[in-house]
Each structure stands twice: as C-alpha cells, then as structure tokens.
C-alpha cells in the first residue's frame, strides 16, 4: 500500500456513475419498485452505500477511510438506469474508488434483482466512470504556478561545526525545489541570534518571497530563533504553525514543544521550522499547500497594487 502518513487530511469527495441496461418491462419494475426480491432501488442504494464503506476490504491496495457521507441516486431512462454514487470523507487520500465501487455494486444489485425477468443477453452493466472529485492535491495545490524565490537557514551549532550532517533543512530544500521555488538559497548558521538576524535582513533586503529557518525552536538555552525572528514579523500568521503542530502531534506527542512562529516580514513570508528531520519534514508536509496559496495571493495583490 502507498504510504499516506505524511499527507494532510482534507475534505474529499467523489462522484461516480454506472449504467444498468435492461428491457422496458424490467425498467418499469425498477420504477414501480416491484420485484419478487423487493424494492430494487432501495436494495441497490443500501448495497452501494455498504460497498463504499467496505471498499478497502474488496480492493487490496485501498486504504480504510472514515466515510462521512455516501448516497446513491437512480435516473430511469428509456433504455437504462443511470446510477450516480457520491462519497465524502476527511482523510489523507481520496474516495474515487469508494464512489466507483458504490456505483458498481448498485448496478450489480439491480442485475441480480431483475435477472428473473429477462434473458441474460438483455441485461448489461456499462459506462462505469468517475464524474468528479474534490480535495487533496487536485484541489489544494502543492506546486507554484510561477517560480518564487526562497531562502532556507539551517540554525545549529553541531551542523555549523561539521559534527552533524544537515538532514532537516535539506529535506525542506528538496521539498521546496519540487514545489517550484527558484532561485533557492541555503545557508548553515550557528546558534547565534546576531548571525540569524543578519541572514534574515539580507534575505529581506533581496526581496526573497519565502524565508524558512530550521532549528532553534525548542526550549534549550541556545534555542533563540523565535526571539530573533518574531520581532521582525509585521503581519503575524499564528494559524500556520498551529496547523503544523496539530499535524505533527498526530505523529509524535513532542510536536507541541516547538515554539515556531510564522508571518510576513514586510513582503516576505517567514516560517520557523523545528530542527529535527522528522519535525521539518512534517511541518513542510502540513504547510506546503498553505504556503503556495498564501504566496500566490500575496503576489497577485502585489502585482495589482503595482
């Protein structure tokens, strides 16, 4: 199965359709809700909803998801019944397969309930396809439409001294490059407020659109990044780091120990990431759609005002 542990949970929905073909007298029975096994529409509806809820048991590589809503609708046409299944969840992956499974199972149920009234060649299931889906990467973009500049500052004495490799900021750099940030500057700094402040001021003076510090957000005596960066913020955005901590806490209870802050310093978005590899990786995973969105909005406003 694909690992979705680092994907943020979002509201997701999918709608799928399937067609059940039958002769006119069978379609009339469906319309009248009259077969020897009972109401075909009601039975097919329940079968479709149950199938959506148990898709992970039917398809071996599907993830189990909490189904928050599922519904199946029927439209009777002259030569067929059009089945439409809609499924909603809040999760790390989409519900396309749940919707397709629901539509397919509803069609199979109609076939089972109408087969006593028709010859085998008169019944058929076809045109099963996805109509639409929302949520996830198709709705919340993780890549830029146009390149924007970024600076990543790794703040750590052991890394600066060469005693420890930088695995945290490198994760952030790789993630930003994949998202389309360029040019992208990367610097390693000691745990020195003056050095951090100087590097921040240089990036701000250059008009860098995104500045991320990595490290120095904990409670150690040298963790002074927050005290250095926070006074420079002209428009605080506390919701960003609140979201990152909430995302991280579902993976480790220690995520709440990060004192990270975020906001705009003049025209640059500034974020302070924790210094561990997992902490930096989780923070970027949680915030990347928001980073892309807020920067593109900010650039659009800047363009229009200019």
């Amino acid at each position: 199965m694909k690992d979705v542990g680092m994907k943020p949970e979002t509201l997701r929905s999918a709608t799928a359709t399937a067609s059940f073909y039958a002769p006119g007298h069978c379609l009339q029975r469906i319309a009248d809700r009259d077969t020897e096994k009972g109401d075909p529409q009601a039975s097919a509806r329940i079968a479709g909803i149950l199938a959506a809820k148990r898709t992970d048991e039917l398809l071996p590589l599907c993830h189990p998801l909490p189904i928050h809503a599922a519904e199946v609708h029927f439209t009777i046409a002259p030569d067929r019944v059009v089945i439409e299944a809609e499924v909603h969840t809040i999760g790390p992956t989409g519900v396309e397969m749940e919707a397709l499974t629901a539509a397919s199972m509803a069609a199979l149920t109609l076939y089972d309930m109408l087969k006593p009234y028709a010859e085998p060649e008169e019944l058929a299931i076809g045109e099963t396809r996805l109509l639409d889906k929302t949520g996830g990467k198709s709705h919340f973009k993780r890549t830029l439409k146009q390149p924007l500049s970024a600076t990543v500052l790794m703040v750590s004495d052991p890394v600066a001294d060469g005693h420890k490799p930088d695995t945290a900021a490198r994760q952030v750099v790789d993630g930003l490059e994949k998202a389309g940030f360029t040019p992208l500057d990367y610097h390693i700094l000691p745990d020195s407020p003056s050095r951090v402040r100087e590097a921040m001021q240089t990036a701000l003076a250059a008009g860098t659109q995104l500045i991320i510090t990595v490290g120095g957000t904990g409670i150690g005596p040298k963790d002074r990044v927050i005290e250095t960066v926070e006074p420079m913020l002209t428009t605080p955005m506390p919701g960003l780091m609140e979201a990152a901590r909430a995302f991280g806490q579902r993976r480790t209870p220690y995520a709440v120990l990060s004192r990270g802050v975020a906001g705009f310093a003049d025209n640059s978005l500034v974020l302070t990431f924790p210094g561990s590899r997992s902490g930096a990786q989780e923070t970027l995973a949680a915030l990347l759609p928001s980073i892309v969105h807020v920067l593109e909005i900010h650039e659009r406003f800047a363009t229009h005002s200019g």
Side-chain angles (χ1 to χ4, degrees):
M1 293 175 69
K2 184 177 180 180
D3 184 1
V4 297
M6 291 301 292
K7 296 177 67 176
E9 295 184 350
T10 60
L11 177 64
R12 299 168 184 260
S13 66
T15 304
T17 185
S19 293
F20 172 67
Y21 293 88
H25 66 279
C26 290
L27 297 175
Q28 189 60 51
R29 283 188 174 273
I30 295 173
D32 294 340
R33 299 174 178 266
D34 178 27
T35 74
E36 63 184 25
K37 292 184 177 181
D39 181 346
Q41 291 191 51
S43 297
R45 173 179 176 269
I46 295 301
I49 292 172
L50 288 174
K53 295 167 67 175
R54 303 185 70 172
T55 298
D56 64 294
E57 298 179 24
L58 301 171
L59 301 178
L61 300 181
C62 277
H63 294 83
L65 291 171
I67 303 302
H68 295 301
E71 192 52 85
V72 180
H73 303 283
F74 305 92
T75 302
I76 301 175
D79 64 335
R80 58 180 170 162
V81 177
V82 178
I83 302 161
E84 193 169 291
E86 184 178 356
V87 183
H88 300 265
T89 189
I90 297 176
T93 189
V95 283
E96 300 97 315
M97 298 313 301
E98 283 75 7
L100 287 163
T101 302
S104 300
M105 186 59 72
L108 285 169
T109 302
L110 290 180
Y111 193 113
D112 177 58
M113 298 185 75
L114 273 298
K115 70 181 189 290
Y117 307 101
E119 296 300 322
E121 64 272 13
E122 293 181 298
L123 303 179
I125 297 171
E127 299 178 11
T128 303
R129 59 190 177 90
L130 188 70
L131 292 178
D132 63 66
K133 67 172 186 174
T134 63
K137 64 181 180 181
S138 62
H139 191 72
F140 303 106
K141 301 298 183 183
R142 304 179 68 85
T143 56
L144 295 166
K145 295 178 181 177
Q146 299 292 334
L148 296 176
S149 58
T151 294
V152 177
L153 305 175
M154 179 65 202
V155 184
S156 167
D157 278 347
V159 175
D161 293 341
H163 297 148
K164 181 181 177 182
D166 176 17
T167 58
R170 283 294 183 185
Q171 287 275 330
V172 176
V173 170
D174 291 345
L176 293 180
E177 287 178 342
K178 292 176 182 177
F181 283 90
T182 186
L184 204 161
D185 290 332
Y186 162 72
H187 303 282
I188 298 175
L189 305 174
D191 289 304
S192 165
S194 62
R195 292 286 300 277
V196 173
R197 187 178 300 107
E198 179 183 351
M200 286 282 299
Q201 290 171 341
T202 299
L204 291 171
T208 306
Q209 281 117 331
L210 174 65
I211 303 171
I212 296 178
T213 65
V214 181
T217 66
I219 59 173
K222 292 186 176 182
D223 291 331
R224 310 302 294 173
V225 167
I226 305 307
E227 289 76 6
T228 305
V229 170
E230 193 167 28
M232 304 175 75
L233 300 181
T234 52
T235 306
M237 299 186 67
L240 288 170
M241 300 314 298
E242 289 169 6
R245 282 186 282 269
F247 183 90
Q249 195 173 12
R250 296 197 65 182
R251 290 147 182 85
T252 170
Y254 300 146
V256 297
L257 300 180
S258 174
R259 299 185 295 122
V261 295
F264 276 91
D266 296 327
N267 290 316
S268 301
L269 179 62
V270 179
L271 304 165
T272 55
F273 284 19
S276 68
R277 177 178 179 176
S278 60
Q281 184 179 21
E282 290 167 5
T283 302
L284 185 62
L287 296 186
L288 188 54
S290 296
I291 293 171
V292 168
H293 182 64
V294 72
L295 282 176
E296 289 186 339
I297 289 177
H298 186 266
E299 288 303 302
R300 187 159 64 245
F301 286 158
T303 300
H304 290 165
S305 62

